[in-house]
């Protein structure tokens, strides 16, 4: 058995499809924790990226005896097999089982009950892993969530199963009676019994069903042939069949309308901005009992794996600009994400006051330019000195909730760009020390840019996330460029699956002490009034102390 073989087999299989093998691997195995910015990235760093992935898989397989590559690849091929077989076959939210079992709702996952399992006929048929020493409920949930599964189940105190649906009856609560190997206080199923949790993926992590991302229920566009140019009636229509058809046609959207399947791209004619109530689409698929296929007037829309290329080209400014525009933010406030969006929306590279080789390798080609090169559309900076600020002719100032920014920056500092600080860091002296130094800087950074910056355009990270289209449009206009709506819609389709850490990977407790909170709340009030004094809207309501 050669560890390379399954990988090659999968690769060959996917080469036949117009989907990219690497995109799929990245999507499944890292679920949003690795970056694929454009096709150049895949070519540039393919082999190295592959090495990295193997080690990721191997370490996740760790625990059960050896964590050799062979085992890692075994898991990997299983992820693919499962996905092909059952992955897409699960409808959107309205299809999920609703149970009101013992409610242990911590905002991350909801306990839904004890279920029968059978080694011959698994209740959860996605990926699985075991750890006979250190299994915890959180670890299992986190691993399943990272792969986009809807359910996580624990069994025998040590086994974790993920799945898109539960294919077994429930059992009595008393049969889930084994404590978790890694945490005495929690129950991890029983003998052939699973404690199952439904994962509440945070809004930012897309709801995925296999390789397709569920976008929602939408009203039929006025001119459907112009909006979604390809369509066909499919016999025994199902989500799978429509997504497959649109993937083969190399379209990024699959819209189900009863027996008809439409394919296309998001455009101003079908922008996916006006979400309908999902109940409007509640019509059973002819070919699949548990799925909704919408009807003539209400379309169920999925995003396929096909890349929308309308916003992928990027270049340097052809005429060197004398106007230096800063993209200023406190560390941890989403600067890299904003650069990604700006590059996709404008088609121009962004630069940086610093040099970060890992960002260069991920496709930020402007990273290697001197910040004054004049070839980039805007320049990342975390500086807050008067002199540094005055060197720029204008600036986009990104502000993020300090509670979130501090934690993001702490994770970055102690865990790398997509990693996480360890419990030891959070509980040790590093965290209080960090908050003491960085919280005042969060405020002074913003105040300094408001004071010394010429022509400052404030963007709140949270508002950008909430309404990407209009805030990104505002940034493009501020940069003096013509807005292309097609391009912005293309960016909207690619905002998922980039720099974000897994939606679930949250701390299990609040790291802020009352003292820290009192201090940070005061800083927020200071920034809020500084913004208002300049006739800008203050900080988003959710920052403010309750
Ligand atoms: C399964 O769940 C239902 C509804 O919560 C409950 O009434 C029933 O007792 C459960 N079945 C078993 C075997 O416990
Ligand atoms: C729909 O759009 C197509 C292509 O742009 C056009 O030829 C056709 O006349 C339009 N139909 C209606 C009803 O507006
Ligand atoms: C559709 O389903 C029917 C009944 O299950 C089956 O007989 C038929 O072969 C299916 N047709 C296609 C094209 O899959
Ligand atoms: C601030 O806005 C108000 C109303 O929108 C306007 O009357 C006032 O002149 C503005 N002040 C400055 C300094 O721009």
């Amino acid at each position: 058995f050669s560890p390379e073989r399954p990988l090659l087999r999968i690769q060959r299989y996917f080469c036949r499809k117009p989907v990219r093998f690497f995109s799929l691997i990245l999507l499944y195995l890292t679920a949003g924790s690795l970056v694929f910015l454009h096709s150049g990235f895949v070519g540039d760093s393919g082999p190295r990226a592959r090495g990295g992935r193997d080690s990721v898989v191997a370490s996740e397989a760790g625990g059960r005896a050896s964590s050799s590559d062979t085992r890692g690849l075994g898991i990997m091929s299983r992820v693919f097999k499962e996905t092909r077989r059952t992955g897409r076959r699960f409808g959107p939210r309205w299809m999920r089982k609703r149970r009101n079992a013992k409610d242990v709702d911590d905002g991350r996952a909801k306990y839904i009950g004890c279920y029968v399992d059978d080694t011959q006929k698994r209740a959860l048929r996605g990926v699985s892993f075991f750890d006979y020493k250190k299994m915890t409920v959180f670890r299992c949930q986190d691993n399943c969530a990272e792969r986009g599964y809807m359910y996580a189940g624990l069994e025998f105190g040590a086994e974790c199963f993920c799945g898109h649906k539960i294919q077994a009856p429930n059992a009595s609560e008393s049969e889930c009676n084994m404590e978790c190997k890694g945490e005495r206080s929690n129950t991890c199923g029983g003998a052939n019994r699973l404690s199952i949790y439904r994962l509440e993926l945070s809004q930012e992590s897309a709801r995925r069903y296999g390789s397709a991302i569920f976008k929602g229920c939408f009203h039929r566009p006025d001119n459907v042939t112009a909006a979604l140019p390809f369509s066909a009636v499919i016999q025994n229509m199902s989500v799978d069949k429509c997504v497959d058809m649109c993937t083969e046609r190399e379209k990024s959207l699959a819209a189900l309308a009863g027996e008809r399947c439409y394919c296309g791209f998001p455009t101003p004619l079908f922008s996916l901005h006006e979400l309908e109530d999902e109940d409007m689409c509640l019509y059973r698929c002819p070919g699949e009992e548990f799925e909704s296929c919408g009807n003539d007037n209400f379309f169920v829309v999925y995003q396929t794996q096909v890349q929308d290329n309308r916003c992928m080209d990027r270049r340097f400014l052809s005429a060197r600009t004398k106007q230096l525009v800063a993209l200023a933010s406190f560390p941890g406030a989403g600067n890299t994400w904003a650069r990604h969006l700006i590059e996709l929306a404008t088609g121009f590279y962004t630069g940086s006051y610093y040099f970060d080789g890992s960002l260069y390798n991920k496709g930020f080609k402007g990273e290697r330019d001197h910040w004054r090169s004049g070839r980039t559309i805007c320049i990342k900076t975390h500086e807050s000195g008067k002199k540094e600020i005055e060197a720029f002719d204008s600036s986009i100032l990104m502000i993020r909730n300090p509670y979130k920014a501090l934690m993001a920056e702490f994770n970055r500092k102690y865990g790398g760009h997509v990693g996480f600080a360890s419990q030891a860091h959070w509980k040790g002296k590093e965290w209080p020390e960090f908050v003491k130094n960085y919280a005042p800087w969060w405020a002074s950074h913003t105040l300094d840019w408001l004071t010394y910056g010429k022509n400052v355009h404030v963007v709140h990270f949270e508002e950008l996330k909430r309404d990407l289209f209009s805030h990104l449009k505002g940034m493009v206009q501020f940069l003096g460029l013509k807005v292309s709506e097609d391009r912005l819609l293309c960016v909207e389709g690619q905002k998922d699956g980039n720099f974000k850490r897994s939606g679930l990977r949250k701390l299990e407790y609040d790291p802020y002490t009352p003292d820290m909170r009192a201090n940070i709340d005061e800083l927020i009030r200071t920034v809020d009034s500084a913004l208002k004094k300049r006739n800008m809207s203050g900080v988003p309501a959710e920052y403010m102390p309750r």
Side-chain angles (χ1 to χ4, degrees), residues 112-380:
I112 57 168
C114 183
Y115 282 78
V116 175
D117 197 22
D118 178 339
T119 51
Q120 301 304 311
K121 261 182 77 191
R122 288 286 177 197
L124 296 174
R125 303 186 185 167
V127 66
S128 60
F129 76 104
F130 312 93
D131 189 332
Y132 290 97
K133 286 214 161 62
K134 291 190 300 223
M135 179 59 75
T136 66
V137 171
F138 180 73
R139 206 172 140 207
C140 176
Q141 292 172 347
D142 197 41
N143 270 277
C144 295
E146 272 200 68
R147 293 176 171 80
Y149 286 100
M150 193 67 66
Y151 297 101
L154 295 110
E155 186 169 330
F156 272 124
E159 305 181 349
C160 172
F161 297 87
C162 311
H164 290 292
K165 70 177 170 192
I166 306 172
Q167 311 193 50
N170 64 327
S172 128
E173 279 307 309
S174 61
E175 291 170 28
C176 279
N177 54 8
M178 293 175 111
E179 62 190 17
C180 307
K181 299 289 181 192
E183 51 180 351
R184 286 281 143 99
S185 55
N186 237 330
T187 305
C188 283
N192 290 325
R193 292 292 177 270
L194 281 164
S195 301
I196 298 188
Y197 292 82
R198 188 175 70 220
L199 304 170
E200 307 284 347
L201 295 176
S202 71
Q203 271 182 336
E204 59 204 71
S205 45
R207 282 155 58 187
R208 280 203 190 93
Y209 301 88
S211 67
I213 299 170
F214 174 69
K215 303 296 278 187
C217 175
F218 297 90
H219 200 278
R220 174 194 188 88
D222 288 339
N223 187 341
V224 70
T225 49
L228 298 164
F230 289 90
S231 86
V233 169
I234 298 185
Q235 268 207 348
N236 300 345
M237 170 80 152
S238 66
V239 174
D240 231 9
K241 286 183 181 151
C242 183
V243 167
D244 275 349
M245 181 181 109
C246 295
T247 304
E248 268 151 31
R249 303 257 168 144
E250 304 205 40
K251 300 287 179 260
S252 77
L253 292 183
L256 293 84
E259 299 193 320
R260 188 169 279 276
C261 171
Y262 291 94
C263 311
F265 291 100
T267 61
L269 295 174
F270 194 55
S271 65
L272 305 186
H273 284 164
E274 280 158 46
L275 206 57
E276 302 289 339
D277 190 325
E278 287 179 9
D279 290 346
M280 304 304 289
C281 280
L282 203 69
Y283 296 92
R284 176 184 173 283
C285 288
E288 208 38 82
E289 193 178 349
F290 296 108
E291 292 177 356
S292 277
C293 277
N295 66 8
D296 264 0
N297 285 317
F298 292 95
F299 294 5
V300 176
V301 179
Y302 284 82
Q303 184 172 329
T304 69
Q305 272 292 296
V306 174
Q307 184 163 288
D308 186 345
N309 284 320
R310 292 173 301 171
C311 57
M312 290 325 235
D313 60 298
R314 265 165 294 168
R315 57 204 159 92
F316 287 103
L317 295 174
S318 45
R320 288 177 188 251
T321 176
K322 290 266 175 334
Q323 294 287 311
L324 297 177
V325 185
L327 178 62
S329 75
F330 179 73
N335 201 303
T336 306
W337 183 54
R339 283 176 75 183
H340 167 71
L341 297 176
I342 291 172
E343 292 199 355
L344 293 184
T346 65
F348 292 112
Y349 288 115
T350 59
S352 175
Y353 196 78
Y354 318 97
F355 171 71
D356 180 339
S358 73
L359 288 178
Y360 180 80
N361 289 335
K362 285 167 187 166
F364 290 99
K365 300 282 180 229
E367 190 73 17
R368 212 157 60 179
D369 269 39
H370 186 269
W371 64 280
R372 278 183 175 285
S373 76
R375 297 204 303 160
T376 54
I377 191 73
C378 64
I379 299 137
K380 160 192 175 171

Side-chain angles (χ1 to χ4, degrees), residues 440-483:
W441 180 23
W442 172 83
S444 66
H445 176 274
T446 309
L447 298 178
D448 287 347
W449 278 90
L450 291 174
T451 309
Y452 305 121
K454 302 163 222 165
N455 193 15
V456 180
H457 177 73
V458 172
V459 176
H460 294 282
F461 175 87
E462 291 75 14
E463 285 171 359
L464 182 62
K465 242 174 49 177
R466 241 190 323 264
D467 183 359
L468 187 91
F469 189 88
S470 64
H471 289 100
L472 190 53
K473 186 169 170 180
M475 283 163 44
V476 174
Q477 281 163 337
F478 180 77
L479 291 167
L481 298 169
K482 216 171 128 261
V483 173

Side-chain angles (χ1 to χ4, degrees), residues 500-511:
K500 279 176 241 126
R501 296 168 172 91
S502 129
L504 267 194
R505 184 96 63 144
K506 281 184 193 154
L507 271 186
E508 282 158 84
Y509 62 97
D510 177 4

Side-chain angles (χ1 to χ4, degrees), residues 378-393:
C378 64
I379 299 137
K380 160 192 175 171
T381 175
H382 297 314
E383 296 303 308
S384 56
K386 181 169 186 287
K387 194 168 129 267
E388 285 79 7
I389 295 173
E390 286 177 343
F392 290 96
D393 301 290

